[in-house]
Amino acid sequence: MASSTDAHNVSSNSGFYDAIIFDLGGVLFTWSSSPESPLSANVVARILSSSLWYEYEKGNLDEAKIYSLIAKQFAVEPADVKKTFQIMSSSLQSNKKVLEVIRELKGTGLSIYAMSNVSAPDWEILKTKATQAELDLFDHTFTSASARQRKPNVGFFKYVFERSGIDPSRTIFVDDKMENVLTARSFGMHGILFDDESKVIRNLKNLCYDPVLRGKQFLTSRKKALTSVTSNNAEFMENFSQLLILLATGDESLVDFTMVSPGLFNFFQGRGLFTTEVYPNDLDTTSVGLTVSTHVDAQTKHKIMDEMLHYRDSDGIIQVYFDHDRPRMDPIVCVNVLDLFYQNGRGHQLPETLEWVEQVLKNRAYISGSYYYVGADHFLFFLSRLLQHSVEVRERLEPIFKERIMERFGTQGDSLSLALRIIAATVVDLVDERDFKSLLSMQCEDGSWGNSWFWRYGLSSTFVRNDGVTTAFALRSIGQVESLRKRSF
């Protein structure tokens, strides 16, 4: 075989990590500068990075001594040093949002520790800036003063490991200093640089919570309301995304789609948006609808397929619309129509269409997307469905398809592109490990995978996305990878 929510809504953590170590200053506590401070921010920064201050943090100098020595080294008054740090201490505030996330993480059974370069007097002040309940979130707080060592020195980390008993390889480390994160990583910890609060929170949830439970919760909490959004921020409900969510999940309770008449689908529900008000029915939405909906009988399906055969161009290639005044061709639409025909024993009626799809695959014509679809992986995903449903097509295209899907491994893509790529790979018994890891890291704080454009209005600059679609396919990719791994071992 070749080669991620609120805590009360998540039953358990992901199971890989046992503990998290948080820095205090710059992560859980912040201070602000004041115009009343006798010393400038630049001077304060130099003081905090001086060897004298390091000795103070390690408990080798008392408070009176450090102020005196700092004043002498930086040519300032001892009283000014003392007043500056008193003002800084009075401005300290705890980060309530991060502390709430810690409370959620603690509730999943994780051990939570703090590890900070802080003097004994400053630690006493810090403790007054948080509630007892917040302080009790930590199994233990390791300070440089008590350890007589400070980050990023390896000795401090060994001190913490010995006294906590944690396994570094199963521990997450969060700090706002890269040098500290680097040392943590050197021990095998998963280091996170605290440079963007929202990003860090998302990373913690992706590492510590079950991605499938979070994704399913996102979908179910918005069932029947998983709307699409255009690149100019228009929100609307349309049939195609609803059918794709059904395709990916098999859960009809999540979606709300309509048929124009028995077996016939339109992209839009009602009037067209950013196009002609009366929008023609299309073979793409109809083909997907007929292959995923359970509300159409076989006789009706064949009647619709009979009608589709009237919409081929002079080369015999199937068209996009049930409208001869809109001649359009798109290889992904062709694939979806072929899938419908092969699933119903009529694939032999579209030989020219299959031949063109084969040439698109062989010559990588899909690499920049298509007339309606945004990316290369979309073509490969829909083609993988056809390979699943037709032994004939699989025998014909699988060797070249396998080459083309492997070429995509590791190439840049958004959440939807990666999910579609991963699913397509599993169809030919491949696990795209690199992109799978990337996809898990892309899950949003609310449990969704989003911000992925799926299709566009022809060749216009208006794009459409649906976070429900992206989340549904991300969940589908996780399920198929897990299933393939079980079969392979």
Side-chain angles (χ1 to χ4, degrees):
M1 182 177 67
S3 338
S4 24
T5 306
D6 294 332
H8 64 273
N9 290 325
V10 181
S11 61
S12 63
N13 65 51
S14 63
F16 186 81
Y17 294 102
D18 300 323
I20 309 177
I21 299 174
F22 288 92
D23 181 29
L24 293 178
V27 176
L28 301 181
F29 295 90
T30 56
W31 60 271
S32 57
S33 59
S34 168
E36 298 177 3
S37 175
L39 303 182
S40 69
N42 181 56
V43 171
V44 170
R46 289 166 55 206
I47 291 172
L48 293 176
S49 61
S50 68
S51 59
L52 282 174
W53 193 262
Y54 291 174
E55 291 303 307
Y56 174 55
E57 289 180 330
K58 290 190 290 185
N60 296 329
L61 295 171
D62 62 29
E63 194 170 8
K65 187 69 172 177
I66 187 62
Y67 291 159
S68 173
L69 293 173
I70 287 293
K72 183 177 180 180
Q73 179 173 329
F74 290 88
V76 295
E77 293 297 321
D80 288 345
V81 177
K82 183 176 182 179
K83 183 178 180 181
T84 296
F85 282 94
Q86 285 176 336
I87 291 173
M88 289 171 58
S89 297
S90 66
S91 73
L92 276 168
Q93 291 185 326
S94 62
N95 189 324
K96 298 298 183 183
K97 185 173 183 180
V98 176
L99 284 167
E100 176 59 23
V101 172
I102 291 174
R103 184 192 66 77
E104 296 171 1
L105 293 167
K106 181 80 172 179
T108 69
L110 288 162
S111 297
I112 306 293
Y113 298 95
M115 180 183 180
S116 181
N117 291 335
V118 62
S119 67
D122 290 337
W123 171 229
E124 292 303 316
I125 294 172
L126 272 176
K127 287 192 290 186
T128 68
K129 302 297 181 176
T131 66
Q132 190 58 49
E134 290 169 339
L135 293 172
D136 289 342
L137 292 172
F138 298 90
D139 293 85
H140 190 80
T141 298
F142 297 95
T143 67
S144 55
S146 62
R148 300 283 178 168
Q149 303 182 78
R150 65 185 306 281
K151 299 175 290 185
N153 293 357
V154 297
F156 193 7
F157 285 86
K158 291 179 178 179
Y159 175 92
V160 171
F161 300 154
E162 290 169 0
R163 282 157 179 77
S164 65
I166 61 175
D167 178 352
S169 68
R170 296 180 63 84
T171 301
I172 300 168
F173 179 84
V174 183
D175 198 292
D176 66 327
K177 300 290 192 300
M178 178 51 75
E179 61 267 30
N180 300 336
V181 173
L182 190 151
T183 301
R185 289 173 177 168
S186 74
F187 283 101
M189 285 194 280
H190 186 100
I192 298 177
L193 180 66
F194 193 92
D195 56 355
D196 180 291
E197 182 180 283
S198 296
K199 183 179 74 173
V200 170
I201 291 173
R202 186 185 74 178
N203 288 344
L204 285 170
K205 290 189 174 185
N206 288 348
L207 289 169
C208 298
Y209 293 149
D210 185 324
V212 174
L213 289 177
R214 294 174 63 213
K216 286 182 176 179
Q217 183 188 39
F218 173 83
L219 293 177
T220 56
S221 67
R222 295 162 177 80
K223 62 183 180 181
K224 307 290 187 184
L226 292 160
T227 56
S228 297
V229 180
T230 67
S231 50
N232 46 9
N233 295 318
E235 186 174 353
F236 66 113
M237 183 72 84
E238 39 80 14
N239 285 317
F240 195 66
S241 66
Q242 301 300 298
L243 293 168
L244 290 180
I245 293 168
L246 178 58
L247 185 160
T249 65
D251 186 352
E252 196 165 318
S253 72
L254 297 174
V255 300
D256 184 16
F257 61 86
T258 62
M259 280 186 274
V260 177
S261 61
L264 194 60
F265 294 81
N266 192 291
F267 179 89
F268 293 102
Q269 295 185 5
R271 298 177 177 178
L273 182 69
F274 302 125
T275 183
T276 55
E277 187 172 315
V278 179
Y279 194 75
N281 302 322
D282 65 280
L283 282 73
D284 199 24
T285 308
T286 298
S287 293
V288 173
L290 291 177
T291 57
V292 301
S293 174
T294 59
H295 302 291
V296 183
D297 60 59
Q299 182 179 355
T300 301
K301 287 182 182 180
H302 284 286
K303 180 181 177 182
I304 297 295
M305 284 186 280
D306 290 341
E307 178 68 14
M308 287 180 173
L309 291 174
H310 294 295
Y311 294 92
R312 289 177 286 180
D313 65 12
S314 58
D315 297 309
I317 297 173
I318 206 76
Q319 299 293 283
V320 174
Y321 297 105
F322 291 97
D323 185 345
H324 292 296
D325 291 330
R326 289 204 188 197
R328 305 283 191 277
M329 57 188 285
D330 185 300
I332 298 179
V333 177
C334 289
V335 169
N336 288 332
V337 175
L338 283 166
D339 186 46
L340 169 65
F341 272 69
Y342 273 98
Q343 283 197 49
N344 290 276
R346 298 178 61 172
H348 63 278
Q349 293 180 298
L350 295 170
E352 296 89 354
T353 298
L354 178 60
E355 183 178 350
W356 186 56
V357 166
E358 183 176 15
Q359 292 306 308
V360 170
L361 176 67
K362 284 184 176 180
N363 296 300
R364 304 178 183 84
Y366 56 84
I367 200 67
S368 299
S370 67
Y371 191 87
Y372 291 102
Y373 290 85
V374 174
D377 300 294
H378 302 60
F379 173 78
L380 294 172
F381 162 74
F382 284 108
L383 185 56
S384 74
R385 291 187 72 226
L386 178 57
L387 267 62
Q388 283 181 295
H389 298 143
S390 169
V391 174
E392 173 193 339
V393 176
R394 188 176 188 116
E395 290 177 349
R396 177 172 173 174
L397 300 184
E398 183 173 10
I400 188 65
F401 177 86
K402 203 165 189 176
E403 288 181 21
R404 295 294 174 262
I405 194 67
M406 290 181 71
E407 291 172 356
R408 298 293 301 162
F409 287 7
T411 59
Q412 186 175 4
D414 56 26
S415 299
L416 181 61
S417 293
L418 297 191
L420 296 177
R421 183 186 307 167
I422 291 163
I423 295 169
T426 62
V427 170
V428 287
D429 299 324
L430 299 173
V431 174
D432 180 2
E433 298 285 2
R434 178 177 176 181
D435 291 321
F436 186 65
K437 182 178 180 181
S438 296
L439 179 65
L440 293 178
S441 73
M442 291 178 174
Q443 191 169 20
C444 299
E445 192 175 337
D446 64 2
S448 70
W449 282 266
N451 299 318
S452 302
W453 302 118
F454 199 166
W455 52 86
R456 58 177 155 236
Y457 280 79
L459 294 179
S460 78
S461 58
T462 302
F463 294 86
V464 181
R465 67 177 172 86
N466 185 298
D467 292 349
V469 170
T470 305
T471 302
F473 279 116
L475 293 175
R476 175 75 172 267
S477 72
I478 294 171
Q480 292 197 196
V481 166
E482 291 177 347
S483 177
L484 181 55
R485 283 173 173 168
K486 288 178 182 177
R487 296 200 312 268
S488 302
F489 292 104

